[in-house]
Amino acid sequence: MLRLVLRLWPRLGAVALAVALVIPAIPASASPEDDLAQKREEAAVLERQISENGTRISILDEEYNVARIAIEQADAGIVQAEAGVADAEARAAGLSDRVAGRAAQMYIQAGAGPLAALETEEAVDLAARGAYGAAAAEQDNSLIDELDAAREDLNVRRAELEGERVAAQDNQAALTGMRDELARAQDVQEELLAGVEGDIAGLVSEIEAKRRAEDEERARQEFQRRAQEEAERAARTTTTTTTTVATVASAAAGDEDPAPSPPKAAPVVSSVPAPNANAQIAVDTALAQLGKPYQSAGKGPDSFDCSGLTGFAWKAAGVSIPHSSQAQYAGLPHVSMSEIAPGDLLFYGSPIHHVGVYVGNDQYVHAPQTGDVVKISSIFRSDFAGAARPG
């Protein structure tokens, strides 16, 4: 292993050394059994690091999407504020012109001749018009002041939005750097793994397969337990409804019908809409992307991240959802575990950082992580967070 690290060092740099140094130092093997144990430990460490880095990259990708949405919202707010400023300026300019014109007209009329030369009725009319003009000018000036204040408020809001945009851009840049660093570490680990002897690679696959099988079985049991609890709660609701209806029917019948036939149970009405034709379009679209590469912030058609894939699938069905797994889960109607149907979105992680499209038979289509492709996997994961239905 040390020879491999030294061979990779000139090309991989400090990141490679940092990754390699976390592999535990194990004494030289005294027997084939000890050698096998050492290889198993090294393989387990590498597999665990690769898995953990993949999760961290997925979380950073989700934070990157959230930062991108914040930038878009700030940009939209700035455009709206600028439009408001422009409107306020145009209205203020129009009022200023009107006030100036009215003042000029009053000045011209005042200089046309002495008031004594006017008839009394005309003088009264001129005075009334002068008073009206002065009042109108005062009102216009008040409106101009209000528009100036509104324009100032809009300028302040625009400055605040520009600050928010800068902060979001800085956060996005920092996340990009962190994500790229993790991706480089991931590449180093994978190259270390590929460069070791074949038996270690085989052991890694063996350990990973065993771990995934154990995790999937635990997740399956937890999933089924929670679904059973939901079904039992629904059954209790149905039983209560049935008993109530039977009691009311018996009381209404009185002595004329001492043994009425039991009524049918009232159906339990669900607030979650049933899947429609759009769900099938979303499933078909997601399945058509199998094998395409994962790419951070990718939204198709050639590459995807997890929320980019789900958004692409449902966009084909005419439903627009945000490019963020957290935003998708927060903004869509939730579905209980016992009610999930093809087309529903399944979410994972705490905080949520992964999502895929359920296709039935306990499987879903998803874009897993950097270095992987769009694939079908079991829905049973220990970090299952919930489900939602776009439409």
Side-chain angles (χ1 to χ4, degrees):
M1 181 63 68
L2 180 58
R3 288 195 300 271
L4 177 62
V5 172
L6 292 175
R7 188 168 68 250
L8 292 174
W9 170 250
R11 182 159 52 89
L12 299 177
V15 175
L17 182 59
V19 172
L21 287 178
V22 299
I23 300 174
I26 302 174
S29 301
S31 67
E33 290 76 13
D34 291 338
D35 184 58
L36 180 60
Q38 176 180 344
K39 289 179 180 180
R40 282 185 178 275
E41 186 169 349
E42 290 179 353
V45 169
L46 279 172
E47 188 279 328
R48 184 173 63 252
Q49 289 176 345
I50 290 172
S51 177
E52 291 173 352
N53 269 356
T55 298
R56 286 195 290 268
I57 291 172
S58 179
I59 292 173
L60 286 172
D61 283 344
E62 173 58 24
E63 292 179 357
Y64 181 90
N65 285 333
V66 171
R68 175 182 48 77
I69 290 175
I71 292 172
E72 292 172 355
Q73 292 174 341
D75 285 340
I78 290 170
V79 170
Q80 185 176 7
E82 289 176 342
V85 171
D87 179 66
E89 289 176 344
R91 292 174 61 191
L95 283 172
S96 296
D97 291 343
R98 190 166 70 187
V99 171
R102 182 181 291 111
Q105 183 65 31
M106 293 176 64
Y107 177 80
I108 292 172
Q109 290 176 350
L115 288 176
L118 296 174
E119 296 291 338
T120 303
E121 183 177 346
E122 292 176 343
V124 171
D125 179 62
L126 180 59
R129 284 188 281 116
Y132 172 79
E138 182 178 354
Q139 182 181 14
D140 288 346
N141 286 327
S142 176
L143 287 174
I144 291 174
D145 291 340
E146 291 179 6
L147 287 171
D148 286 340
R151 179 173 53 192
E152 181 63 26
D153 289 342
L154 288 167
N155 279 323
V156 170
R157 178 55 181 156
R158 178 171 58 184
E160 291 174 350
L161 288 167
E162 288 175 348
E164 292 175 7
R165 177 173 61 182
V166 170
Q169 288 173 335
D170 290 344
N171 186 42
Q172 188 181 46
L175 290 170
T176 299
M178 294 170 61
R179 185 187 58 194
D180 292 345
E181 188 68 22
L182 282 173
R184 285 193 292 271
Q186 186 91 338
D187 291 340
V188 169
Q189 289 170 321
E190 291 175 353
E191 188 157 356
L192 286 171
L193 185 60
V196 297
E197 298 174 338
D199 56 349
I200 292 184
L203 286 171
V204 169
S205 297
E206 176 188 332
I207 293 171
E208 182 178 3
K210 181 180 179 181
R211 178 187 60 79
R212 287 179 178 173
E214 292 172 349
D215 288 348
E216 182 176 330
E217 181 56 30
R218 285 193 296 269
R220 184 192 302 275
Q221 293 175 4
E222 175 64 14
F223 193 100
Q224 292 172 345
R225 183 189 66 78
R226 291 168 60 181
Q228 180 64 28
E229 289 179 353
E230 291 176 357
E232 289 174 354
R233 284 195 297 270
R236 286 195 294 270
T237 302
T238 302
T239 300
T240 302
T241 303
T242 302
T243 303
T244 302
V245 173
T247 301
V248 172
S250 177
D255 295 335
E256 296 179 1
D257 187 5
S261 59
K264 295 182 179 180
V268 178
V269 180
S270 172
S271 61
V272 179
N276 50 44
N278 286 343
Q280 188 61 53
I281 295 175
V283 168
D284 294 341
T285 303
L287 289 171
Q289 314 313 312
L290 291 175
K292 293 185 178 180
Y294 179 98
Q295 181 181 9
S296 175
K299 56 183 179 180
D302 300 321
S303 58
F304 301 89
D305 66 3
C306 63
S307 58
L309 174 65
T310 54
F312 184 84
W314 272 98
K315 184 178 181 180
V319 179
S320 178
I321 56 179
H323 186 176
S324 162
S325 58
Q326 292 179 10
Q328 289 175 6
Y329 186 72
L332 296 174
H334 292 181
V335 181
S336 68
M337 298 172 67
S338 60
E339 294 178 310
I340 60 172
D344 290 344
L345 305 185
L346 306 185
F347 298 86
Y348 299 89
S350 179
I352 289 173
H353 59 83
H354 191 60
V355 62
V357 180
Y358 183 60
V359 295
N361 297 321
D362 297 336
Q363 294 180 316
Y364 76 129
V365 178
H366 65 134
Q369 61 187 27
T370 300
D372 214 331
V373 297
V374 176
K375 63 170 63 173
I376 296 176
S377 298
S378 167
I379 67 172
F380 299 116
R381 286 176 40 167
S382 60
D383 59 347
F384 177 75
R389 182 169 296 163

